[in-house]
Amino acid sequence: MPEPQAPPPPRNGMGLAALILGITACVFSFIPFLSEFLAAPAAVGAVAAAFISWDRIEHGTATNRADTIAGGILGALALAVIVLVYLATHGSNSG
């Protein structure tokens, strides 16, 4: 009789990547020059990685729901801050 196979290990890399990129994006989103060139790509990457990880969670191949949600929210928050910082520093000076 063959031995039962163990389930494959969870694929949690994308959720962890979303969390790390989201934290990085939030840290650098308040610094005007760095927010455009470092935080913006990190924030977009965090949101994208969170979507991929969420798909893996729904299919049962990943288990890090909290990391995925936190990374996606931090990435989206960083994008909002980046837009506000950009508008504050590059806005038109009418007057």
Side-chain angles (χ1 to χ4, degrees), residues 1-69:
M1 185 177 211
E3 292 183 31
Q5 292 183 345
R11 298 176 62 192
N12 291 333
M14 284 304 231
L16 183 62
L19 183 61
I20 291 170
L21 287 171
I23 291 170
T24 302
C26 279
V27 167
F28 291 109
S29 66
F30 293 98
I31 304 170
F33 183 75
L34 291 178
S35 69
E36 297 168 24
F37 297 104
L38 179 67
V44 171
V47 172
F51 275 113
I52 293 169
S53 181
W54 190 259
D55 186 55
R56 289 181 180 177
I57 289 169
E58 287 185 344
H59 286 94
T61 59
T63 58
N64 58 344
R65 185 180 307 262
D67 291 350
T68 300
I69 292 171

